[in-house]
Amino acid sequence: MALPGEKRKREEDRECEAFGKGSELTASQKHPLPGFSLQAVLRESARDKTVFLHGTVTNDGSEESRDAVVILEKTPFQVDTVSSLLGSQSEMKLQFVNDIYSVYHLNPPPELNEVKTTIICPATEKHIKKYQRQEVYLINESGEDYRSITLPFIEAQSFSIQWVYNILEKKAEADRIIYENPDPSNGFILIPDFKWNQKQVDDLYLIAISHARGIKSLRDLTTEHLPLLKNILLEGQVRMTRLI
């Protein structure tokens, strides 16, 4: 299972993944969001340049619609192409000039203007609620609170983690595995997270998935897990150094 701190974000990205890595739509392939109709903006973040949408999709010739959650996220700048943004192919619209300062709206060519689009379809009511704007509270939780309140809630509300088992069993993404310690108790798999655009090392983001199952959060870690955590730290650092 994914280790603490990474699980939620990894789970979100996995739920949103609609197509295989590196695939592109061709003329013979269907659009992933046929007849998309926006129902609501669930949440948006100006800081993260991300918006979460709820909509419905309808296949051609069918009156039946399915709910979908779509996440639009601006991709990070790439060092090796950033100079091209200021080339002659980019359109720059002047907003104002004040002394030595000027502000423009820049419209780069399509190949430099990607928006990461992730899709959950069909989406359940649970997915829709998950991505809605929610109030955040800080709670001092005791061990007993976790066992009697939080853990039952996690077990009742959690999403499928079949994607974790698919990776561990090499049923999916085997070609993306960067490193593996096969020990069943203290071993792990190191694999790129979907937060990484796989285009520049500066944004490198990896996730460790332990072969030992049953770790739901930080609360489940005990002294028995120290060898596993040390392996991830030391072996992961060595692998990261080689990648960089």
Side-chain angles (χ1 to χ4, degrees):
M1 186 173 292
L3 283 179
E6 310 297 340
K7 178 187 172 185
R8 181 174 180 180
K9 177 60 180 175
R10 175 74 171 186
E11 191 175 77
E12 290 178 359
D13 288 334
R14 284 292 163 186
E15 290 161 5
C16 298
E17 186 189 14
F19 305 100
K21 180 190 66 171
S23 60
E24 294 183 359
L25 289 176
T26 64
S28 62
Q29 291 178 312
K30 294 183 178 179
H31 194 279
L33 296 171
F36 180 78
S37 175
L38 179 64
Q39 302 299 309
V41 177
L42 300 176
R43 177 160 45 103
E44 59 86 22
S45 172
R47 184 185 66 178
D48 297 329
K49 306 296 187 296
T50 305
V51 63
F52 298 78
L53 308 174
H54 169 218
T56 57
V57 296
T58 306
N59 292 326
D60 294 337
S62 173
E63 296 182 356
E64 181 181 357
S65 62
R66 296 176 296 166
D67 286 303
V69 171
V70 180
I71 301 176
L72 302 177
E73 179 182 357
K74 291 290 185 69
T75 56
F77 291 107
Q78 300 174 39
V79 175
D80 57 344
T81 61
V82 69
S83 61
S84 301
L85 290 172
L86 303 176
S88 58
Q89 292 183 327
S90 296
E91 179 184 5
M92 298 183 69
K93 297 180 179 179
L94 179 65
Q95 300 303 302
F96 69 85
V97 177
N98 185 349
D99 192 31
I100 64 172
Y101 304 100
S102 56
V103 176
Y104 294 82
H105 281 181
L106 187 150
N107 296 310
E111 63 271 15
L112 300 176
N113 196 29
E114 294 180 354
V115 175
K116 179 182 177 183
T117 304
T118 49
I119 303 168
I120 306 173
C121 186
T124 65
E125 186 66 26
K126 185 187 295 186
H127 288 110
I128 295 171
K129 289 182 178 179
K130 176 179 180 178
Y131 291 103
Q132 287 177 332
R133 183 183 300 277
Q134 301 178 11
E135 295 294 332
V136 179
Y137 301 92
L138 181 63
I139 298 176
N140 187 11
E141 179 189 69
S142 67
E144 180 57 33
D145 289 337
Y146 171 67
R147 289 186 291 271
S148 62
I149 301 174
T150 308
L151 182 58
F153 178 81
I154 291 175
E155 292 176 339
Q157 299 295 324
S158 63
F159 293 91
S160 169
I161 57 169
Q162 184 58 46
W163 63 268
V164 175
Y165 303 140
N166 288 343
I167 293 174
L168 292 175
E169 297 167 8
K170 310 292 182 13
K171 293 180 180 178
E173 302 189 59
D175 59 328
R176 300 180 70 243
I177 294 175
I178 291 176
Y179 176 79
E180 179 179 12
N181 178 329
D183 186 271
S185 299
N186 301 318
F188 64 97
I189 282 176
L190 201 60
I191 194 168
D193 192 274
F194 277 118
K195 285 193 244 183
W196 184 37
N197 62 11
Q198 301 186 44
K199 293 183 179 179
Q200 56 185 17
V201 178
D202 290 345
D203 298 320
L204 182 61
Y205 195 100
L206 305 179
I207 183 172
I209 302 178
S210 63
H211 282 294
R213 305 186 182 188
I215 302 175
K216 299 181 182 65
S217 71
L218 282 170
R219 307 172 184 90
D220 294 319
L221 294 175
T222 67
T223 54
E224 296 179 357
H225 296 106
L226 284 176
L228 167 64
L229 297 175
K230 288 179 180 178
N231 285 347
I232 292 175
L233 174 62
L234 299 177
E235 296 172 27
Q237 285 179 335
V238 171
R239 190 59 186 173
M240 287 280 286
T241 301
R242 292 177 180 175
L243 288 173
I244 296 175

